[in-house]
């Protein structure tokens, strides 16, 4: 691989562009491929196979050839509501798991850049904050404030937009009350039951990093269930 | 849904090159049976034999390092290496898990 290609790969990765690396295993030539375009030179006759690898988000060697395809897809978006202590540990865990995190918190003293360096922190109420984030059914929501004023609008937005994972922090009692409010707001049982509450798998820990670990474990597990 | 796994090995490769090291990139390109790392897993090796990342669960890394050092020494661009099920005579480079993997090594130049 040429240094130039490596630099291009890193640039594409940091700008969250989807691409593939094509490598000719016989002569070592490698090339960056963007979905929807025609592969260049020696790779051109494998256009269909390369596109198929891309669609199935797989890496591998094209059958009866010496061409290796490695696809890079966009990281999964995770939106955290509440720039609280647990969120700081979630950010740490997510770094090595390739989730792209955004944090929403209208409370300025929580949502500071100093507490969350290099993370997109939106210091607004959820309704306005969601206007700044592109979301779809491959987005996850982690609600951590257990304050209905902040969490509820975010949960409602996530339910309406069919996020694949929605979790909310709070005791069983807090969650019961939350479910009741959502029912009153017109959400059906299926929707309400899709929320993971109390959030996280049962680990038994009570400290901020332990709760963060239980949340991240549940998030990863739900990601691969889909 | 599949999450893209990204262990920042390529980022580290860039740092090593910046520090004027010779870098060989090793990538798992095929697997058969049960193998510890999936296709696309990566490892980098420099001319001193320092390495980062992984292509197996520790089973074949030492063999990959020596192959990478030979690649640098012979100044060859790339090579494909296959590792098969371990047996007693080849325990050092075998996969204890019973799988098979193909690893592609290439110099970054």
């Amino acid at each position: 691989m040429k240094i130039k290609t490596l630099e291009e790969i890193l640039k594409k990765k940091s700008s969250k562009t989807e691409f593939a690396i094509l490598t000719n295993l016989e002569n070592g030539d490698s090339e960056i491929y963007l979905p929807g375009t025609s592969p260049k030179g020696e790779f051109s006759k494998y256009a269909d196979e390369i596109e198929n690898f891309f669609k199935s988000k797989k890496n591998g060697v094209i059958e009866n050839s010496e061409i290796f395809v490695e696809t890079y897809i966009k990281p999964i978006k995770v939106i955290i509501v509440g720039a609280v202590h647990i969120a700081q540990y979630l950010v740490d865990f997510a770094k090595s798991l390739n989730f792209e995190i955004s944090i929403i918190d209208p409370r300025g003293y929580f949502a500071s850049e100093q507490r969350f360096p290099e993370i997109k922190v939106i210091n607004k109420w959820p309704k306005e904050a969601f206007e700044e984030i592109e979301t779809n059914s491959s987005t996850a929501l982690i609600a951590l404030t257990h304050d209905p004023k902040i969490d509820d609008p975010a949960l409602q937005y996530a339910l309406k937009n069919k996020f694949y994972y929605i979790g909310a922090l709070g005791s069983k009692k807090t969650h019961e009350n939350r479910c009741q409010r959502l029912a009153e707001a017109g959400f059906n049982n299926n929707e309400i039951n899709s929320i993971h509450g109390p959030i996280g798998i049962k680990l038994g820990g009570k400290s901020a990093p332990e709760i963060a670990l239980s949340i991240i474990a549940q998030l990863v597990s739900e990601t691969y269930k889909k | 849904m599949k999450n893209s796994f990204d262990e920042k090995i390529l980022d580290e490769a860039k740092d090593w090159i910046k520090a004027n090291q010779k870098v060989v990139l090793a990538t798992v390109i095929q697997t058969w049976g049960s193998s510890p790392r999936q296709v696309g897993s990566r490892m980098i090796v420099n001319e001193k034999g320092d390495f980062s990342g992984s292509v197996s669960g520790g089973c074949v890394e030492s063999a990959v390092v020596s192959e990478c050092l030979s690649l640098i020494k012979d100044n060859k661009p790339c090579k494909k290496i296959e590792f098969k099920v371990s047996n007693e005579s080849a325990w050092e480079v075998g996969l204890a898990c019973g799988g098979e993997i193909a690893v592609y090594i290439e110099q970054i130049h």
Side-chain angles (χ1 to χ4, degrees):
Chain A
M1 183 185 285
K2 292 195 169 66
I3 294 175
K4 212 180 77 189
T5 311
L6 175 69
E7 283 170 346
E8 188 64 30
I9 291 168
L10 295 178
K11 215 160 89 187
K12 291 250 178 320
K13 267 171 58 183
S14 65
S15 64
K16 319 277 183 223
T17 314
E18 302 208 311
F19 66 98
I21 307 169
L22 312 176
T23 306
N24 181 331
L25 301 171
E26 269 167 349
N27 61 19
D29 285 354
S30 52
E31 180 81 49
I32 291 175
Y33 165 79
L34 297 175
T37 63
S38 316
K40 289 171 211 148
E42 57 192 319
F43 300 107
S44 60
K45 62 177 174 177
Y46 299 105
D48 292 346
E49 288 89 341
I50 294 167
E51 198 61 43
N52 284 340
F53 267 99
F54 224 98
K55 277 188 197 137
S56 58
K57 297 174 177 173
K58 277 189 180 145
N59 305 322
V61 177
I62 296 173
E63 220 172 298
N64 300 321
S65 82
E66 287 294 317
I67 308 293
F68 178 64
V69 184
E70 188 184 359
T71 54
Y72 279 79
I73 55 172
K74 285 183 188 167
I76 288 167
K77 240 180 236 181
V78 179
I79 298 165
I80 299 174
V81 177
V84 296
H85 197 189
I86 295 168
Q88 290 178 297
Y89 288 103
L90 282 173
V91 166
D92 274 354
F93 288 131
K95 263 183 204 154
S96 48
L97 293 166
N98 206 30
F99 289 115
E100 185 191 350
I101 294 205
S102 307
I103 300 176
I104 298 173
D105 201 320
R107 304 164 299 183
Y109 51 96
F110 275 112
S112 75
E113 211 170 288
Q114 181 256 331
R115 284 165 54 82
F116 294 94
E118 290 171 43
I119 294 286
K120 184 174 180 177
V121 182
I122 308 171
N123 183 206
K124 290 181 180 167
W125 289 89
K127 195 167 170 281
E128 289 93 57
F130 277 117
E131 285 167 14
E132 292 179 21
I133 314 171
E134 207 182 303
T135 62
N136 56 41
S137 60
S138 301
T139 307
L141 178 84
I142 297 173
L144 296 178
T145 72
H146 62 270
D147 179 344
K149 285 201 303 298
I150 308 173
D151 279 357
D152 281 16
L155 291 168
Q156 293 192 11
Y157 183 94
L159 285 172
K160 278 183 197 150
N161 290 278
K162 303 199 176 347
F163 284 15
Y164 81 96
Y165 175 84
I166 305 172
L169 185 81
S171 67
K172 278 187 186 145
K173 184 78 194 138
T174 304
H175 190 62
E176 263 171 40
N177 294 337
R178 175 187 292 136
C179 293
Q180 203 171 341
R181 288 193 305 274
L182 288 169
E184 282 160 15
F187 290 93
N188 65 38
N189 276 345
N190 277 347
E191 290 171 314
I192 293 170
N193 292 338
S194 75
I195 299 175
H196 295 267
I199 196 170
I201 62 165
K202 283 196 171 62
L203 280 183
K206 290 244 164 71
S207 69
E210 286 166 335
I211 293 167
L213 179 63
S214 93
I215 294 172
I216 271 292
Q218 189 171 54
L219 177 65
V220 171
S221 154
E222 292 300 316
T223 301
Y224 286 103
K225 265 187 206 163
K226 217 191 151 195
Chain B
M1 191 151 61
K2 172 184 179 286
N3 194 6
S4 56
F5 68 106
D6 175 13
E7 295 157 330
K8 315 268 186 274
I9 299 300
L10 293 176
D11 303 67
E12 208 173 344
K14 174 84 192 300
D15 294 339
W16 285 19
I17 288 164
K18 251 194 206 156
N20 284 323
Q21 298 174 22
K22 286 194 170 142
V23 180
V24 179
L25 180 66
T27 308
V28 176
I29 54 167
Q30 280 167 309
T31 64
W32 299 268
S34 72
S35 48
R37 299 301 323 271
Q38 52 190 325
V39 173
S41 302
R42 287 203 151 117
M43 173 172 142
I44 47 173
V45 181
N46 71 10
E47 73 271 27
K48 286 186 291 185
D50 300 326
F51 69 99
S52 181
S54 66
V55 292
S56 72
C59 321
V60 301
E61 272 74 7
S62 66
V64 170
V65 169
S66 52
E67 289 280 359
C68 290
L69 290 175
S70 310
L71 203 74
I72 294 174
K73 203 171 136 241
D74 305 339
N75 202 19
K76 288 205 176 119
C78 57
K79 188 181 175 182
K80 199 166 119 180
I81 323 159
E82 283 183 22
F83 295 99
K84 303 216 163 163
V85 187
S86 69
N87 56 50
E88 274 170 42
S89 61
W91 63 273
E92 216 179 341
V93 290
L95 285 161
C97 41
E100 290 182 37
I101 61 168
V103 176
Y104 178 72
I105 60 173
E106 59 185 315
Q107 287 208 59
I108 303 178
H109 53 88

